[in-house]
Amino acid sequence: MSSSPGSGLRPDNHVIVLFGATGDLAKRKILPGLYHLFVAGLLPDKFRIIGSAPPDYALSDADFAAHAESAVSSFGETKPDGSNWDEFAACLSFGAASPEDPSPLVSAVDAAEKTIGGSRGSGPVRRLFHLAIPPTAFESIVGMLGSSGLASASSRVIIEKPFGTDLKSARSLNAAVHAVFDESQVFRIDHFLGKESVDNILAFRFANGLFEPIWNREHISYVQIDVPETLTIEGRAAFYDATGAYRDMVVTHLFQVLGFLAMEPPVSLAAKPLRDEKGKVFDVLRPIDVRHVVRGQYAGYKSEPGVPKSSDTETMVALRVEVDNWRWHGVPFFLRSGKALAASRQVVTLGFHRPPLQMFRTHRREAPNEIVIDFADPGTISIEFMAKEPGPEMILGATEMSFRYGESFAQANALEGYERLILLAMLGDQSLFTRADGIERVWEISEPLLTSPPPVEPYEKGSWGPASVDKLTAPYRWHLRNHGEHTEAAR
């Protein structure tokens, strides 16, 4: 097995139990990610991975290994070749489980721990439970982990999004989880926060005296977090029509990015101070004002298989959010995400105040002064500004300076978001995971929108949404709509 510069970050020996092992998320992300961590030398010295699913979907150990090999071959950057794969596959097994009968899984975990060696000279063996299952099953599976004795003081649990659907359900789920696990054992995963490019926001802000002094209302006039997608719901009607763009993307992803952008400098990057500062941002978010929300639904959505003809579910949402503290008072944060839009991007834009006196002629009516952070891995950071065009007259044109992560550092050592977060969970580092009070606060400020949502407005596939999306940002404009061709070509 090869090593890497990060191989000093070896977790304790582990038994990893993957619930939903036969599902799409496990196939596309988790199994390929675990294999890449193994090849990179970042899994424990001794480990076992146990796939689990309800009895109706049970696999033999051999069939699970074949399933994992197919998943890694189809979706992994590191392919299952040679002795590396043979060694990894030997660490795979399967244990079916249901709340009514967890005994096959209990037996599989006991056997795995005996194989590793347990406390007999091999160091501690931790258990990590990854719940890659539908949210409706979270409480029952967590309850089963408690009643079966699988959850111990040294266990940890990774819970996928969405964590609740509103404040009441989030509180209920937190209570059910805390009945079995201490908060220090709970890892609510958001793969956006595992992105190198999102974490680079912290480095960009806090490691550079050039930028931190201007990261406030005195210099910044607006902030945008824009995550459009060109894909439709792709046959996921059962999930999507009950969820919608706001619950699917804004609560779970965009607010987390906003927390990184708006936080005060933490005293360190350890989990507690980092999450404390992000929590303070959530504490001062004003409740969503539905007058500053646009909900859209793409043409043809109601014709998608499984979507009710009367559906009022939004496939796109844009909103204005206010962070009501000293640093950000009066600065609008514009958030947008949705399906079937004009581009697939993940972009943060910080717009600066215009100079008080316009003494130059330009070829553009609106002169951009923006920091643009593209956090679609590997990521870029651009500074857009005005410069004099060649010629005898003092006429300005728009230009930019760009940092491209992929061109500046070796990508061989990079981890995909899920990979990084699974590694951090094994290490017990909660810095990039969502805390209980934080998720409840985000649902709390969402209550006005969830209780009285504005009606959905139609928009054409391949557009930027309904026309009212542009009115939402007035007197400013969406960066991607203005610079769509330019930024798309820069990817």
Side-chain angles (χ1 to χ4, degrees):
M1 180 171 56
S2 63
S3 62
S4 79
S7 57
L9 297 174
R10 279 293 181 95
D12 294 333
N13 295 334
H14 261 75
V15 173
I16 302 167
V17 179
L18 176 56
F19 290 98
T22 59
D24 192 63
L25 178 59
K27 179 175 66 176
R28 291 177 177 271
K29 292 290 185 182
I30 301 173
L31 289 169
L34 287 168
Y35 180 61
H36 184 220
L37 287 173
F38 172 75
V39 173
L42 294 171
L43 283 189
D45 289 329
K46 294 186 177 182
F47 69 93
R48 289 295 183 272
I49 298 170
I50 302 173
S52 190
D56 290 347
Y57 300 93
L59 300 176
S60 67
D61 292 354
D63 286 342
F64 179 51
H67 171 77
E69 184 175 15
S70 174
V72 174
S73 180
S74 298
F75 300 103
E77 292 294 326
T78 305
K79 300 303 179 184
D81 298 324
S83 60
N84 273 342
W85 178 256
D86 294 339
E87 189 178 347
F88 180 78
C91 298
L92 303 178
S93 60
F94 200 90
S98 67
E100 297 75 29
D101 183 16
S103 57
L105 178 59
V106 173
S107 298
V109 170
D110 287 343
E113 290 185 343
K114 288 177 181 177
T115 300
I116 290 175
S119 59
R120 294 189 294 275
S122 297
V125 178
R126 291 190 176 272
R127 298 174 184 175
L128 177 65
F129 304 104
H130 193 142
L131 275 55
I133 54 178
T136 53
F138 287 162
E139 290 194 30
S140 62
I141 293 299
V142 168
M144 179 201 72
L145 292 174
S147 62
S148 66
L150 285 169
S152 65
S154 63
S155 303
R156 299 178 179 123
V157 61
I158 295 175
I159 302 178
E160 290 285 341
K161 64 116 175 156
F163 197 90
T165 57
D166 55 20
L167 179 58
K168 181 180 178 181
S169 61
R171 284 175 171 167
S172 174
L173 181 53
N174 273 328
V177 171
H178 289 155
V180 178
F181 295 96
D182 184 78
E183 178 65 19
S184 64
Q185 299 172 273
V186 182
F187 294 76
R188 298 169 189 82
I189 196 167
D190 172 14
H191 70 273
F192 269 40
L193 296 190
K195 288 171 168 285
E196 295 275 8
S197 48
V198 171
D199 296 341
N200 204 33
I201 293 172
L202 296 179
F204 184 73
R205 274 193 67 183
F206 299 130
N208 296 290
L210 180 63
F211 301 113
E212 174 54 27
I214 61 173
W215 209 271
N216 55 58
R217 60 185 173 85
E218 298 294 335
H219 301 277
I220 294 174
S221 58
Y222 60 88
V223 180
Q224 298 176 12
I225 306 173
D226 205 358
V227 186
E229 297 179 277
T230 57
L231 299 174
T232 64
I233 64 170
E234 295 188 306
R236 299 168 65 224
F239 164 78
Y240 200 88
D241 197 65
T243 305
Y246 184 79
R247 288 182 171 92
D248 185 41
M249 290 296 295
V250 177
V251 171
T252 55
H253 296 317
L254 273 62
F255 274 131
Q256 302 305 316
V257 176
L258 185 152
F260 271 14
L261 286 166
M263 70 166 60
E264 295 298 315
V267 296
S268 78
L269 295 180
K272 186 180 186 306
L274 191 65
R275 300 207 298 176
D276 283 349
E277 293 304 334
K278 193 167 68 162
K280 291 175 185 178
V281 173
F282 296 154
D283 286 343
V284 296
L285 287 175
R286 286 187 179 180
I288 302 299
D289 186 339
V290 295
R291 296 173 300 175
H292 297 150
V293 178
V294 175
R295 298 169 67 241
Q297 187 182 88
Y298 66 75
Y301 172 75
K302 293 177 183 177
S303 299
E304 297 273 7
V307 175
K309 299 300 181 185
S310 60
S311 175
D312 189 50
T313 297
E314 79 280 357
T315 60
M316 185 240 48
V317 64
L319 62 154
R320 172 178 172 151
V321 178
E322 296 185 37
V323 180
D324 199 11
N325 63 6
W326 189 273
R327 181 182 290 264
W328 295 111
H329 180 75
V331 178
F333 284 70
F334 300 111
L335 282 56
R336 174 172 63 178
S337 187
K339 302 289 188 182
L341 294 173
S344 291
R345 301 297 303 278
Q346 297 172 6
V347 174
V348 166
T349 306
L350 299 98
F352 287 82
H353 292 299
R354 296 181 185 178
L357 183 62
Q358 296 289 342
M359 65 182 74
F360 300 99
R361 292 171 54 201
T362 71
H363 287 311
R364 292 183 57 167
R365 208 172 92 187
E366 302 238 348
N369 273 175
E370 295 176 330
I371 293 175
V372 182
I373 303 170
D374 189 328
F375 60 95
D377 287 333
T380 64
I381 299 176
S382 300
I383 299 175
E384 301 197 351
F385 60 99
M386 303 302 292
K388 180 185 178 300
E389 294 185 352
E393 297 184 76
M394 182 62 81
I395 298 177
L396 304 188
T399 188
E400 70 174 38
M401 294 186 295
S402 292
F403 158 78
R404 300 182 184 280
Y405 205 91
E407 297 174 3
S408 302
F409 298 103
Q411 287 297 296
N413 298 326
L415 297 179
E416 193 269 340
Y418 263 104
E419 297 166 2
R420 186 156 177 244
L421 292 171
I422 291 171
L423 174 61
L424 291 178
M426 286 190 286
L427 292 167
D429 183 346
Q430 293 181 301
S431 56
L432 300 181
F433 295 85
T434 306
R435 205 163 58 186
D437 58 347
I439 194 65
E440 289 184 15
R441 174 58 182 166
V442 169
W443 283 121
E444 183 180 11
I445 66 151
S446 301
E447 285 288 285
L449 174 58
L450 300 179
T451 303
S452 302
V456 294
E457 303 173 39
Y459 65 94
E460 294 299 318
K461 292 181 183 179
S463 71
W464 288 107
S468 54
V469 167
D470 292 330
K471 297 178 184 177
L472 179 71
T473 57
Y476 311 113
R477 298 184 180 183
W478 290 100
H479 172 84
L480 285 181
R481 187 180 184 94
N482 280 346
H483 304 270
E485 292 181 4
H486 173 69
T487 52
E488 196 66 26
R491 292 191 66 187

